[in-house]
Amino acid sequence: MAKKQQVPIRSQAEIAMSRRAGALAADVLRMIGDHVRPGVTTDELDRICHDYIVEVQQAIPANIGYHGYPKTLCTSVNHVVCHGIPSSKRLNGGDILNIDVAVIKDGWYGDSSRMYFVGKPGVLARRLVRTTYEAMRAGILAVRPGATLGDIGHAIQAVAHREGFTVVREYCGHGIGDIYHDEPQVLHYGRPGAGLTLEPGMVFTIEPMINAGRPETRELADGWTVVTRDHSLSAQWEHMVAVTADGFEILTPWPDGCGDYPAIAADVLVPAQG
């Protein structure tokens, strides 16, 4: 039987390096927001972010060349679930867009994604995007020593299902630090009390993908782009989180604040899920 990989327990110095890299990823997502508008191509957004990471942040775009991936960003529009490759296709008013970016600073990875509205979204699109944010928030609020990965997944799933949406099961969050994708795997569904027990020093992403329709996905011929099988809308948000002695720390906080979305504060009590 293969030995199960151990989940790294990070020192305060290592978490500080993750915090620094995470802040850079969040800053890219802040910067690009003003450029998301009808008529822009995702290739243009990719170029702007690449130049910002390299020239302003003095960091490395982590995605370029990762398993052969060609671009700085993953840009997932409407029914694209994840890993959309930037292209010359122009964004249209009413589109929803996920931008996922990862940077390397002094050997440490920062990884985050955020949803954007292109012009004025429809009612369903707006509800899906907000629900997905609230699902991520519920998952993060479940993080504390002694909790389990199942607690996180169950909290996310409960929010999505409450609104009649579904959770993508083929893709998950992951450990991150001086390795891009590390242990543990963080599922966005689960049973309370199941799975790995969380300990201070663990660092991982929580990044639920929520569909307006059915949960099934398929990968396109490019080997990267994942779409909903029923062509329904999909949304995703992602934060890096560290388990602390008494809760959690978000390592990718938005430098421009949460806007119209509810804050994710460690002192918010989370009701037990039935």
Side-chain angles (χ1 to χ4, degrees):
M1 181 180 291
K3 184 179 179 180
K4 187 175 180 180
Q5 285 186 276
Q6 294 297 307
V7 176
I9 303 298
R10 300 298 187 180
S11 68
Q12 288 303 307
E14 289 174 324
I15 290 174
M17 298 296 285
S18 286
R19 185 184 299 117
R20 183 185 183 203
L24 293 178
D27 185 50
V28 175
L29 297 178
R30 172 206 58 79
M31 177 278 300
I32 201 61
D34 288 342
H35 299 275
V36 176
R37 57 184 181 274
V40 73
T41 69
T42 49
D43 248 345
E44 290 172 316
L45 299 177
D46 189 80
R47 176 185 53 78
I48 292 167
C49 289
H50 173 276
D51 292 350
Y52 187 78
I53 293 167
V54 172
E55 297 171 8
V56 178
Q57 296 184 337
Q58 302 288 301
I60 299 170
N63 288 331
I64 296 177
Y66 184 74
H67 293 299
Y69 190 76
K71 298 287 186 174
T72 295
L73 304 177
C74 294
T75 50
S76 301
V77 184
N78 294 335
H79 71 291
V80 179
V81 175
C82 60
H83 305 160
I85 303 174
S87 72
S88 60
K89 185 175 180 179
R90 298 189 182 278
L91 297 176
N92 297 311
D95 286 346
I96 59 173
L97 168 68
N98 176 271
I99 295 180
D100 191 337
V101 66
V103 304
I104 307 169
K105 187 69 172 179
D106 297 330
W108 289 78
Y109 287 82
D111 184 13
S112 188
S113 85
R114 186 167 172 174
M115 293 299 299
Y116 300 85
F117 295 130
V118 184
K120 185 177 181 181
V123 173
L124 175 63
R126 187 177 291 276
R127 187 165 69 88
L128 174 65
V129 168
R130 188 171 187 89
T131 298
T132 306
Y133 174 86
E134 291 176 353
M136 176 191 68
R137 178 177 182 266
I140 294 172
L141 290 174
V143 174
R144 61 179 65 87
T148 68
L149 290 180
D151 295 335
I152 296 172
H154 182 74
I156 291 167
Q157 178 179 300
V159 172
H161 289 181
R162 181 194 73 204
E163 299 299 323
F165 298 138
T166 61
V167 178
V168 172
R169 293 189 167 223
E170 295 93 335
Y171 303 92
C172 61
H174 54 89
I176 187 168
D178 52 348
I179 296 173
Y180 192 175
H181 293 91
D182 204 350
E183 293 296 320
Q185 294 188 55
V186 182
L187 303 181
H188 302 121
Y189 59 93
R191 293 182 293 106
L196 178 77
T197 298
L198 304 183
E199 300 177 36
M202 292 180 176
V203 177
F204 47 81
T205 69
I206 295 177
E207 47 181 302
M209 287 145 272
I210 307 298
N211 294 348
R214 295 187 56 81
E216 293 84 10
T217 67
R218 66 183 181 92
E219 186 178 272
L220 299 187
D222 61 24
W224 286 101
T225 306
V226 177
V227 300
T228 54
R229 279 194 175 274
D230 62 4
H231 217 73
S232 63
L233 293 174
S234 187
Q236 180 187 21
W237 300 85
E238 176 184 9
H239 270 312
M240 284 171 56
V241 178
V243 183
T244 65
D246 56 0
F248 65 87
E249 178 189 352
I250 294 175
L251 301 177
T252 47
W254 300 345
D256 50 344
C258 293
D260 293 334
Y261 297 97
I264 309 174
D267 59 355
V268 177
L269 295 178
V270 183
Q273 300 289 343

